[in-house]
Amino acid sequence: MQSTDLGNKESGKIWHRKPSPGTRDGIIVNIIHSTSDYHPKVLRFLNVAFDGSGDSLIAGDHQGNIYVFDLNGNRFNLVQRTAQACTALAFNLRRKSEFLVALADYSIKCFDTVTKELVSWMRGHESSVFGISVHASGRYAMTTSSDTAQLWDLDTFQRKRKLNIRQSVGIQKVFFLPLSNTILSCFKDNSIFAWECDTLLCKYQLPAPPESSSISYKVFAVTRDGRILAAGGKSNHLHLWCLEATQLVRIVQMPTSVRAVRHLEFLPDSFDAGSNQVLGVLSQDGIMRFVNIQTCKLLFEIGSVDEGISSSVVSPHGRYIASIMENGSLNIYSVQALTQEINKPPPPLVKVIEDLPKNRLSSGDLQMKVTAGKVQRPALRPKDSRIQTRILKQDLTGNVENKENELSDGLNKKRLQILLKGYGEYPTKYRMFIWRSLLQLPENHTAFSSLLDKGTHVAFLNLPQKYPIKSRKLLRVLQRTLSALAHWSAIFSDTPYLPLLAFPFVKLFQNNQLICFEVIATLIINWCQHWFEYFPNPPINILSMIENVLAFHDKELLKHFTDHSVTSQLYAWPLLETLFSEVLTREEWLKLFDNVFSNHPSFLLMTVVAYNICSRAPLLNCNLKDDFEYFFHHRNNLDINVVIREAYHLMETTPSSIHPDSMLDAFTALTKGQYPVFNQYPTFIVDYQTQERERIRNDELDYLRERQTVEDMQAEVDQQRVDDEAWYHKQELLRKAEEARRQILLHEEEKMLQQRQKLAAVKRELKMKEIHLQDAARRRFLKLQQDQREMELKRLDDEIERKNLTRSQEAVAKDLREDADAYRRRVDLEENLLHKLIENDRQQSQKAQQVIEANLDQAEQACLNTDWQIQALYKQKCHDLQRSECYQEVAKLLQENRRKEVEVLKAMMEEEALKWKEAEEKEFYLRSERKAAALSDASRRWFLEQQISAAAEHSETPSHGDMSGWRDDQGDLSSLPRTSQLNDISETDSSTQIPFSRKLAEWDSTDQNLMQKVRNLRWRLAAQARSRCQASRLVAT
């Protein structure tokens, strides 16, 4: 067998020479992973999985290192370091280089073995994932934990469905059936359902197994065609279900050495069309047996008790078996090598018997070949039958070994004793196995379960208070074991030293409570004989045997004990009731009981005497009783090998008259099926003690009830007192709070009184200020009224003067008004003509604007159409190159549009120039009119001055110069220029200028609006031109 250590290598060869697996074990290679650190250690492999071809597999250890092993290429590679233990693996995905791994943080990751990169990370479980099943198509994966199962889509790595269950019903396994679209879910209550993968509708449910062979299913396996389901659990029975008929078709019973099934795996065959006939069964002893489910014949097995298997996986084509051993290594088996012995041709029917040479024949060497203990007659045998032979040597002396020395599991008690005397102890690795064989434990699971089902015995309810053990697990196992012993026999509920006697065995077998119970029960039946005849006192008869042996072998030591009033209850009984666990270390105690279990029950008593004899020197120096007590309850500087040799010496040299073996029975094993009745004790005392204990317990219950009642009453009284004190305290606090509030109110009232006094003083001051202000305001108001009267008088004087002046001017103004009316009519006529001219100009500008806007809309629509065509042509230019001519036409149209736009822009610019020219002309006309108005104003003022001076002269000489002055005035008026007269007349009435100025303002606003629209139109045309230029560049490219 080749062995490969991966070490710190990331890649390398699996084996260095061509593997040649033997037919006995079939191992191709053994793979281990050890570190080369300062403290080297072996990293245990936890999971292994084959790919779809069966020629490659992946394995993960407890530190998260995942390796790929190529069995055809003889290569291994480290593909991932996850830094945490993997709990499940799957390597048969649709993408051959990808695999799924479930990690200890409840997540599932997908990695690629080629790129060594993370493909996806899936979360959703709240507990450890222990199973990954992949659909036959590789598209879906089912992950299973103890509380849920989830269906994943491996294309998107999204969760599709989730199976939720009640907390009381756990999940055992959920997986896809091979070559089908069915999901099988198995629960801890033995219910099995089949679901459709796509719709998740329940297809069927398997019925409950018969009660006569009902087992708790733990493991499952399905044939490659998905027709047969194998189920097993804590039993040596296997159930075979037909999934098509949904019924139990066969129950297979494994050998008696199989007590529980840990794993099931069908072995594929290339010629069975998927209906696999060979089933691999991994049992509790670490051996995987392969049986034919049709003939129920054991074909071969892998693993052993020394090198047990933890889990196994069979390759899809059935050529390899990968097993993770209990020591953490990985074994790869060759199925061909394992089945070579089965598939070889049958032996010949005729065989030749050869005589032995005469010179070598002797009575001591005479051998005979028999089959299974009886002579076989020559007869035709079936083709598949195999003859098991056994070679026995004749013993001429006739001393055949006693049958009682032959133990189960192929061991011999005499040979074990010889081995024990040679080495002093049994090998640590095989000690428990040898003890179980020496004690011939029946392993009655049903009987022990019935004892455990009775629960914790009332005598050991307060065990944690009496023995405060730090380990809760150890304390719980001790309590269960003692309770089972008490339920087995009533004497053990009253035995005070039973916890001391059982504790070392409980600590040694804490992981297997059944073995622990049966070891203690066997010890009590054989090595504790006659211990309970003087119950509740120590066994006086046993102690007397020890004292007699001590008196025969060491009278001086016994006399020293007697002189100091030290009885056997002090120097022997402490060692017996604790089974030397107080005075020996763990290794010494195991070595001692290797010898105790291998000899007659009297050896334990001889060991007590030997311990005292070997300790005689310190014991002879002890004079106080406390020193003796301390010596036999604490460890001492004593070699256990010397004590054991002395015990053997005492066994051989003690006379038969006082030898304990003459008074103790030989070893008797526990019976199978049910445990024997143990009543070797005074029943009346135990019954009396039981009755007394029951009476005392009832009295204690009554006392406890009364005490509880008194405590309740006392609690009520205390609570009432506390409530009263709290009420009085609250009342005192309320009184103090009320007093404090009253003081605060008095203080606040004093403050309020002071503030009111201050407020009254302030009010008086404000009242005086208000009186002074009112007096000042009244004086100011009287002064204002006086000033207003004076101003009114002045205004009346001015009005009188103005009216006098107005009367003198009304006559002149009347004539001027008539002339102004005539001028107004003429101005209205001119304004109407001007309005018509402006209206016509405005209508023409509106028409031009509408034409321009229409042209702009058409151009914009054309641009939109062109843009759409450009986009469509740009998308299709890779597929249709024959439309280049259309592109050219579009380009010509664009050029024509640009030419027209240029013409429109030129026309608008010309229109803009004309408008500016017209505006300048109107501005020049406005300035000339303003100059004429100014001249008219100056002439009017001059005329009025002349009239005023003439009126003054006329008032001086009214009778003589009226007519002449009037003529002179007419002459003066006629001497003014004609334009001045017209302008003067036009200025006499300011209302005549208002309509014309309003029209000018409206015209200015209209002109400004029109120019703004022209600017906006030019900006839009320029933007469209830029966009067309960009489109033409795209077309050109």
Side-chain angles (χ1 to χ4, degrees), residues 50-57 71 315-317 319-320:
F50 279 93
D51 66 347
S53 64
D55 296 325
S56 297
L57 59 95
L71 301 180
S315 63
H317 49 54
R319 289 198 293 267
Y320 303 107

Side-chain angles (χ1 to χ4, degrees), residues 294 451 560 617 622 708 711 729 838:
Q294 297 297 330
L451 293 176
H560 180 72
C622 293
Q708 185 65 30
E711 288 178 355
H729 180 65
I838 292 171

Side-chain angles (χ1 to χ4, degrees), residues 611-786:
Y611 187 86
N612 283 271
I613 292 175
C614 293
S615 305
R616 68 188 312 273
L619 289 174
L620 291 174
N621 293 327
C622 293
N623 297 320
L624 298 177
K625 191 173 182 180
D626 293 340
D627 295 340
F628 287 103
E629 291 180 356
Y630 182 87
F631 184 86
F632 290 104
H633 285 280
H634 293 81
R635 295 177 183 175
N636 302 292
N637 188 13
L638 189 64
D639 188 2
I640 191 62
N641 296 319
V642 176
V643 175
I644 294 173
R645 285 197 298 269
E646 182 65 24
Y648 278 111
H649 176 71
L650 295 177
M651 289 284 290
E652 295 173 356
T653 59
T654 301
S656 59
S657 59
I658 61 173
H659 202 293
D661 62 356
S662 61
M663 289 167 278
L664 298 178
D665 297 333
F667 174 80
T668 303
L670 296 177
T671 57
K672 279 189 172 292
Q674 293 293 332
Y675 296 115
V677 177
F678 185 82
N679 54 3
Q680 299 176 7
Y681 57 88
T683 56
F684 67 94
I685 294 178
V686 176
D687 294 341
Y688 175 75
Q689 287 186 350
T690 303
Q691 294 174 2
E692 285 297 314
R693 189 182 301 105
E694 187 66 22
R695 183 183 60 80
I696 293 172
R697 190 173 69 86
N698 293 330
D699 294 343
E700 287 181 353
L701 291 176
D702 295 338
Y703 167 73
L704 290 175
R705 283 194 293 269
E706 293 177 359
R707 190 176 70 176
Q708 185 65 30
T709 304
V710 173
E711 288 178 355
D712 293 342
M713 294 176 63
Q714 183 65 31
E716 292 179 358
V717 171
D718 293 341
Q719 186 64 32
Q720 185 65 33
R721 181 174 55 78
V722 170
D723 294 342
D724 293 343
E725 290 179 357
W727 186 82
Y728 285 120
H729 180 65
K730 187 183 294 184
Q731 293 298 323
E732 182 67 21
L733 291 177
L734 290 175
R735 187 186 63 77
K736 291 181 179 178
E738 184 179 359
E739 185 67 25
R741 299 296 189 279
R742 188 178 294 108
Q743 294 294 332
I744 292 172
L745 288 175
L746 292 175
H747 184 64
E748 291 295 331
E749 286 180 356
E750 292 177 357
K751 284 185 178 181
M752 186 66 68
L753 182 60
Q754 293 176 0
Q755 290 178 357
R756 285 177 180 175
Q757 293 175 356
K758 292 180 180 179
L759 184 61
V762 171
K763 283 183 177 180
R764 286 194 298 273
E765 293 178 0
L766 291 176
K767 190 68 174 175
M768 294 300 295
K769 289 181 180 180
E770 185 179 358
I771 292 172
H772 293 312
L773 290 174
Q774 288 180 356
D775 187 22
R778 185 170 60 254
R779 289 195 297 270
R780 191 182 302 110
F781 181 69
L782 292 174
K783 186 176 181 302
L784 180 61
Q785 285 184 345
Q786 183 178 0

Side-chain angles (χ1 to χ4, degrees), residues 278-534:
V278 180
L279 176 63
V281 182
L282 178 61
S283 56
Q284 86 289 340
D285 54 4
I287 301 175
M288 192 167 188
R289 301 169 175 85
F290 288 82
V291 298
N292 191 309
I293 61 176
Q294 297 297 330
T295 62
C296 295
K297 181 180 178 182
L298 178 62
L299 302 180
F300 62 93
E301 60 186 26
I302 58 176
S304 63
V305 177
D306 298 338
E307 296 179 359
I309 296 175
S310 177
S311 63
S312 289
V313 178
V314 180
S315 63
H317 49 54
R319 289 198 293 267
Y320 303 107
I321 301 174
S323 299
I324 297 177
M325 313 306 290
E326 291 180 349
N327 59 6
S329 63
L330 176 64
N331 281 359
I332 300 177
Y333 298 87
S334 172
V335 177
Q336 182 180 2
L338 291 170
T339 58
Q340 185 176 359
E341 187 69 20
I342 302 171
N343 297 330
K344 72 178 182 179
L349 296 177
V350 179
K351 293 185 177 180
V352 178
I353 301 176
E354 296 181 0
D355 293 332
L356 294 173
K358 293 182 179 181
N359 56 355
R360 297 185 59 185
L361 182 61
S362 64
S363 61
D365 295 334
L366 182 62
Q367 295 182 352
M368 58 182 297
K369 184 176 290 187
V370 299
T371 60
K374 64 179 181 179
V375 180
Q376 294 289 333
R377 302 295 181 185
L380 293 177
R381 295 186 299 273
K383 187 176 181 180
D384 295 332
S385 65
R386 298 172 64 186
I387 298 176
Q388 297 181 356
T389 62
R390 184 179 301 165
I391 298 175
L392 302 177
K393 288 186 179 180
Q394 273 190 338
D395 192 355
L396 297 180
T397 62
N399 294 328
V400 183
E401 291 183 350
N402 194 355
K403 290 185 178 179
E404 66 181 10
N405 291 328
E406 293 294 333
L407 304 176
S408 60
D409 300 319
L411 299 179
N412 186 278
K413 188 174 182 180
K414 291 294 184 182
R415 294 178 181 175
L416 290 175
Q417 289 176 348
I418 295 172
L419 177 67
L420 182 62
K421 287 183 179 180
Y423 292 95
E425 59 179 336
Y426 292 128
T428 304
K429 186 175 183 180
Y430 303 104
R431 176 177 280 121
M432 300 299 106
F433 173 70
I434 295 174
W435 282 16
R436 290 163 64 179
S437 300
L438 289 172
L439 300 179
Q440 301 177 22
L441 302 181
E443 299 186 17
N444 300 326
H445 292 272
T446 306
F448 181 67
S449 299
S450 64
L451 293 176
L452 287 182
D453 293 341
K454 294 180 180 180
T456 304
H457 198 275
V458 66
F460 302 106
L461 290 175
N462 297 326
L463 187 66
Q465 286 75 23
K466 295 181 181 178
Y467 300 95
I469 301 174
K470 184 177 181 180
S471 174
R472 303 299 301 173
K473 177 184 177 181
L474 191 61
L475 179 61
R476 185 167 61 252
V477 174
L478 177 63
Q479 191 175 32
R480 290 179 179 177
T481 305
L482 296 178
S483 299
L485 291 170
H487 291 307
W488 175 43
S489 180
I491 185 66
F492 299 124
S493 62
D494 299 322
T495 306
Y497 56 85
L498 185 63
L500 301 175
L501 185 143
F503 180 74
F505 296 99
V506 171
K507 191 173 183 179
L508 192 62
F509 298 98
Q510 57 181 323
N511 294 324
N512 195 333
Q513 300 180 36
L514 171 63
I515 301 300
C516 178
F517 172 81
E518 292 186 349
V519 169
I520 297 173
T522 305
L523 178 73
I524 292 173
I525 291 176
N526 293 278
W527 282 271
C528 299
Q529 298 180 40
H530 310 296
W531 280 27
F532 306 98
E533 293 179 357
Y534 294 91

